[in-house]
Amino acid sequence: MENCSLLLLKPRERIISTARELFRKCGLRGIGVDAIAEAAGTNKMTLYRHFGSKDELVCECLRDVARDVEEMWKEVEAAHPGDYAAQLHAWVRIGAECASSNDGRGCDMANAAVELAETDHPARQVIEEFKRKQRDRLVQLARDAGAADAELLADTLVLLLEGARVSRQSVGAEGPCAHFIASAEAVIASFLHRSGKAVTALKHVAKAKAHA
Amino acid sequence: MENCSLLLLKPRERIISTARELFRKCGLRGIGVDAIAEAAGTNKMTLYRHFGSKDELVCECLRDVARDVEEMWKEVEAAHPGDYAAQLHAWVRIGAECASSNDGRGCDMANAAVELAETDHPARQVIEEFKRKQRDRLVQLARDAGAADAELLADTLVLLLEGARVSRQSVGAEGPCAHFIASAEAVIASFLHRSGKAVTALKHVAKAKAHA
């Protein structure tokens, strides 16, 4: 815990920051509100005043994760304005970094879905909304990059990244997740290549029609 | 719980069967040994006599999962003896069935790795060994099927399946996991196609040499 920087935050932010770190390290069910409050330099009363319940604290932590990912998208767009293929490749590289992160704990959202087996847990809505939004965003990016079948390409990439992050947790960094970039790039190449072929085919059709 | 069929089992098997079902439904940390013993029609004393601890019960349940998967491989081989491409397609179809299973709880092994964040939990060795074996088996199958790059193909398929099962848990059956078969088959086609090209290229080289 970086206590020095934590002390600069307000209690609410300090609790979220601490809870995110501890939930990630111990699992949502591996740590209680007492330990979180203590690590955040506050107490259970204050935690409950801000969040009402542990479930709501979990939801707020996941919303905070979503805000970080939103920032990531903005950075990717700013780094490659209008170059959608470059944005797609940047997404792969950032995904690889997440998958191989030192703590090896993968995606907070997906992990939460595994841990919160109850279908009526309030966090499930946060997770589902987040995952849908990520998927839609990737479909749009694949479409903008001119992929042959943008939905299938986006879903394939989503599955590869989800797989890399969960595989990292069960078999380590040297397992299949080590191939994430190669897998994702091969898939992208195959879809953009097919798309290129389609464009060439269309040009041929157009030419043939002009000559007819 | 199918109590009638459960009663035909010996206590040890009854506990494993019940624990597997309850761990899957509630998560490893969402259910205690008391509830498992009661649901298995026995008591905590008997459970501890057979397994020593909840951790060891978890390990034994995961070893039981591994035995089921071993059976699956035998069935795939028996259904398509010597036809490795057909075995690869059968693996995809069985994977799709797992990913879209009604309870939507994905892979017991991967879920356990997510839940058991402690790196020293005894189950981690069972999980890692299992996942390594599955991966090696798929590499061998991809090689036997004549894939261009068997390791990359196998790892890509592993990531897709892991991804499908974890994505199913966070965003449901209509999410990216609905595309698992299409994604996996596109990837297989691309690798076997590339391999076909390589074979054709080699034939051309051989022909050219014969004429030289």
Side-chain angles (χ1 to χ4, degrees), chain B residues 157-172:
Chain B
L157 292 176
V158 166
L159 295 184
L160 288 175
L161 181 58
E162 295 282 18
R165 290 183 295 190
V166 78
S167 171
R168 169 75 177 81
Q169 290 179 76
S170 54
V171 75

Side-chain angles (χ1 to χ4, degrees), chain A residues 2 4 9-10 34 39 51 55 107 130 147 153 156 158 164 189 200:
Chain A
E2 294 166 24
C4 297
L9 299 174
K10 289 182 185 165
D34 285 299
F51 300 97
D55 283 354
C107 170
F130 170 81
L153 171 56
T156 305
V158 166
T200 314

Side-chain angles (χ1 to χ4, degrees), chain A residues 114 124 155-156 169 179 183, chain B residues 105 124 155-156 169 179 183:
Chain A
V114 169
R124 298 203 71 88
D155 280 350
T156 305
Q169 289 178 77
H179 268 145
S183 298
Chain B
R105 285 288 289 156
R124 298 202 71 88
D155 280 350
T156 305
Q169 290 179 76
H179 268 145
S183 297

Side-chain angles (χ1 to χ4, degrees), chain A residues 133-144:
Chain A
K133 201 173 165 187
Q134 295 307 305
R135 190 235 173 199
D136 290 348
R137 209 151 181 171
L138 206 58
V139 170
Q140 188 57 48
L141 182 53
R143 194 169 287 142
D144 289 340

